[in-house]
């Protein structure tokens, strides 16, 4: 019987899932069992929209539809907790399964603390994440740095320190370091992230640590909760999933990969935060002076869930017709999320004026965490 802390290699026995799966199809197989056994009523996942630069959320209730969600989309930058809060009533009366990155996991935890999501009704399968790429920048990067028409690319992945594309006629990879030095690569918030293996989910899955004959054919699974153990045990007993003990050497490699990613995240924090230095508040004042008061940062933040319509009516926050708004508009918002910014980057990604909002809120959060004990948000994760 599986238990919390177990480390396994897992792969699917389902022929249909195998056709579409990456890394053995373990995650898709787990969700198939969860739906068929009624452990969950629905699975919230990401699927490809028009192309691989267009990630869209999809709610699946029929296990037959899961195959189209197999694989990953590194050029998809959606965050799922707010969808559960806004459209699924915070999982109040429905059991929801969700595939999550580290920032998704943190978002679920923060909204649960605010009693906006019922985590008792949520099962999270976490996936290791080295970062995502803005879809707009990804297209430009592929055209400029790879010399390839982005419309001909049918697959992308981040592996072994490279961003790799497959396109009509071949494949090509370029070092992430090289791309980021040129101003491309992962989103800036992803570069600073130090939560690469989402152990606050029920299961943490990924290809890190899979070696030998199972490399590329299985997923390394870390069991992080009783719910995760129950899900995995049930999937194995049903026959949809097979497992074996993870190779100790592979787990050592997994630890080294995670360690290297954490060091890289720390390097980018030092670089980004040092650039702010003693002039951080001057920089914030200068950058936010471009604000057109579209409220996108508030609407899309998983932590700041006050409705934008309420803020528009609140003269303490902003006066009608005032563009750019009084600096206190942004300062109050930073204060509001200072104990719980999860560095998901949604505010910055969706800002119409390209204001580096995630950088500011993340810097304030990290500085606060470094000063106060316990940490401001009393978070069990490393943000």
């Amino acid at each position: 019987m599986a238990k919390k802390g177990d480390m396994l290699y897992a792969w699917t026995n389902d022929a249909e899932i195998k056709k579409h799966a990456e890394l053995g199809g373990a995650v898709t197989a787990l969700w198939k069992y969860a739906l068929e056994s009624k452990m969950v009523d629905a699975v919230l996942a990401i699927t490809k929209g028009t192309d691989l630069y267009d990630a869209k959320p999809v709610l699946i209730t029929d296990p037959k539809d899961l195959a189209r969600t197999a694989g990953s989309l590194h050029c998809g930058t959606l965050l799922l907790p707010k969808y559960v809060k806004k459209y699924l009533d915070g999982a109040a009366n429905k059991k929801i399964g969700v595939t999550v990155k580290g920032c998704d996991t943190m978002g679920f935890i923060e909204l649960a603390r605010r009693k906006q999501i019922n985590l008792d009704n949520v099962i999270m399968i976490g996936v290791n994440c080295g970062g995502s790429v803005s879809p707009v920048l990804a297209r430009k990067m592929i055209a400029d740095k790879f010399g390839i028409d982005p419309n001909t690319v049918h697959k992308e992945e981040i592996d072994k320190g490279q961003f790799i594309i497959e396109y009509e006629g071949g494949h090509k990879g370029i070092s992430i370091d090289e791309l980021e030095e040129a101003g491309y690569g992962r989103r800036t918030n992803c570069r600073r992230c130090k939560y690469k293996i989402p152990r606050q989910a029920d299961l943490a899955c990924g290809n890190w640590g899979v070696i030998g004959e199972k490399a590329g054919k299985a997923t390394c699974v870390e069991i992080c909760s009783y719910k995760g153990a129950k899900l995995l045990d049930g999937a194995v007993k049903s026959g949809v999933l097979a497992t074996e003990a993870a190779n100790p050497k592979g787990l050592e490699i997994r630890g080294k990969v995670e360690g290297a990613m954490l060091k890289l995240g720390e390097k980018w924090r030092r670089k980004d935060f040092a650039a702010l230095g003693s002039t951080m508040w001057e920089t914030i004042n200068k950058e936010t002076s471009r604000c057109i008061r579209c409220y996108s940062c508030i609407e899309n933040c998983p932590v700041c869930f006050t409705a934008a319509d309420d803020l528009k009516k609140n003269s303490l926050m902003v006066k009608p017709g005032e563009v750019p708004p009084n600096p206190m508009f942004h300062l109050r918002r930073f204060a509001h999320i200072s104990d719980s910014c999860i560095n998901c980057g949604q505010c910055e990604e969706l800002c119409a004026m390209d204001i580096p909002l995630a950088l500011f809120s993340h810097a304030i959060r990290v500085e606060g965490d470094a000063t106060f004990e316990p940490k401001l948000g009393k978070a069990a994760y490393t943000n």
Side-chain angles (χ1 to χ4, degrees):
M1 180 175 288
K3 62 183 182 301
K4 182 178 178 180
D6 283 354
M7 305 291 299
L8 304 165
Y9 289 164
W11 61 94
T12 188
N13 288 322
D14 185 281
E16 187 62 28
I17 294 175
K18 282 182 180 179
K19 292 179 185 178
H20 306 274
E22 292 181 7
L23 309 176
V27 172
T28 307
L30 285 161
W31 286 139
K32 182 176 190 234
Y33 167 74
L35 283 171
E36 290 177 342
S37 66
K38 306 300 182 184
M39 276 192 75
V40 298
D41 299 309
V43 172
L44 179 61
I46 302 295
T47 190
K48 184 168 69 174
T50 305
D51 52 36
L52 59 80
Y53 313 100
D54 177 29
K56 67 176 184 180
V58 57
L59 190 68
I60 292 176
T61 56
D62 186 342
K64 294 177 182 177
D65 294 332
L66 283 167
R68 62 192 173 104
T69 69
S72 56
L73 289 171
H74 291 97
C75 299
T77 57
L78 302 179
L79 197 77
L80 296 178
K82 209 150 188 178
Y83 288 93
V84 173
K85 174 192 176 295
K86 187 173 182 179
Y87 300 110
L88 300 175
D89 196 27
N93 302 299
K94 183 174 288 190
K95 294 176 290 184
I96 305 295
V98 194
T99 304
V100 294
K101 311 181 296 299
C103 51
D104 289 304
T105 310
M106 292 186 283
F108 273 107
I109 292 170
E110 292 297 346
L111 283 174
R113 285 174 176 155
R114 290 157 175 76
K115 303 189 185 305
Q116 301 299 303
I117 286 179
N118 178 14
L119 282 184
D120 290 339
N121 281 346
V122 176
I123 296 178
M124 293 187 280
I125 297 182
V127 290
N128 301 348
C129 182
S132 57
V133 183
S134 168
V136 174
L137 192 64
R139 282 182 165 276
K140 190 172 189 307
M141 174 181 72
I142 290 169
D144 293 351
K145 295 295 290 182
F146 288 79
I148 301 297
D149 179 354
N151 292 318
T152 67
V153 177
H154 54 80
K155 184 179 179 181
E156 50 72 26
E157 63 178 326
I158 296 176
D159 189 33
K160 295 181 174 63
Q162 288 193 320
F163 186 86
I164 303 166
I165 60 171
E166 292 183 12
Y167 53 92
E168 296 170 11
H171 68 276
K172 187 175 183 179
I174 298 179
S175 160
I176 289 288
D177 287 342
E178 179 184 337
L179 292 170
E180 292 181 352
E181 288 299 326
Y184 295 106
R186 300 168 301 161
R187 296 189 297 157
T188 56
N189 61 293
C190 294
R191 297 175 192 176
R192 296 190 303 270
C193 177
K194 293 172 66 177
Y195 191 36
K196 300 302 183 181
I197 299 179
R199 294 183 175 90
Q200 294 301 108
D202 298 296
L203 298 170
C205 304
N207 65 335
W208 300 350
V210 184
I211 63 173
E213 64 177 19
K214 292 299 181 186
K217 301 175 183 177
T219 297
C220 185
V221 180
E222 179 175 354
I223 300 176
C224 305
S225 74
Y226 167 75
K227 279 194 291 186
K230 182 180 178 182
L231 172 61
L232 188 135
D233 265 342
V236 171
K237 288 175 183 176
S238 75
V240 74
L241 192 74
T243 64
E244 65 179 41
N247 186 315
K249 182 63 177 178
L251 296 181
E252 182 182 336
I253 293 171
R254 179 179 184 256
K256 289 180 179 178
V257 172
E258 182 183 18
M261 295 299 293
L262 295 180
K263 288 180 181 177
L264 188 59
E266 185 59 38
K267 184 195 85 169
W268 277 106
R269 287 189 183 198
R270 288 196 302 267
K271 182 175 181 179
D272 288 355
F273 296 162
L276 290 173
S278 61
T279 63
M280 179 170 73
W281 299 108
E282 293 175 25
T283 304
I284 288 176
N285 188 39
K286 178 182 176 182
E287 293 286 343
T288 57
S289 69
R290 300 198 301 276
C291 176
I292 60 172
R293 207 182 64 186
C294 68
Y295 295 93
S296 177
C297 55
I298 293 169
E299 291 280 15
N300 292 287
C301 175
V303 177
C304 182
F305 58 84
T306 301
D309 285 343
D310 292 340
L311 292 177
K312 291 172 187 176
K313 299 172 185 175
N314 187 347
S315 61
L316 293 175
M317 286 294 286
V318 60
K319 295 178 180 178
E322 187 179 42
V323 176
N326 186 290
M328 288 307 295
F329 172 69
H330 285 285
L331 295 180
R332 285 191 175 108
R333 179 178 168 274
F334 291 142
H336 176 54
I337 64 172
S338 63
D339 70 331
S340 49
C341 170
I342 62 172
N343 187 37
C344 66
Q346 294 296 299
C347 55
E348 188 169 317
E349 175 88 1
L350 299 167
C351 176
M353 301 307 292
D354 294 326
I355 300 169
L357 295 166
L359 171 61
F360 301 147
S361 55
H362 191 210
I364 293 167
R365 167 72 193 267
V366 170
E367 185 174 327
D369 277 351
T371 304
F372 297 101
E373 284 290 346
K375 304 301 183 190
L376 291 179
K378 298 181 182 178
Y381 47 78
T382 302
N383 118 299

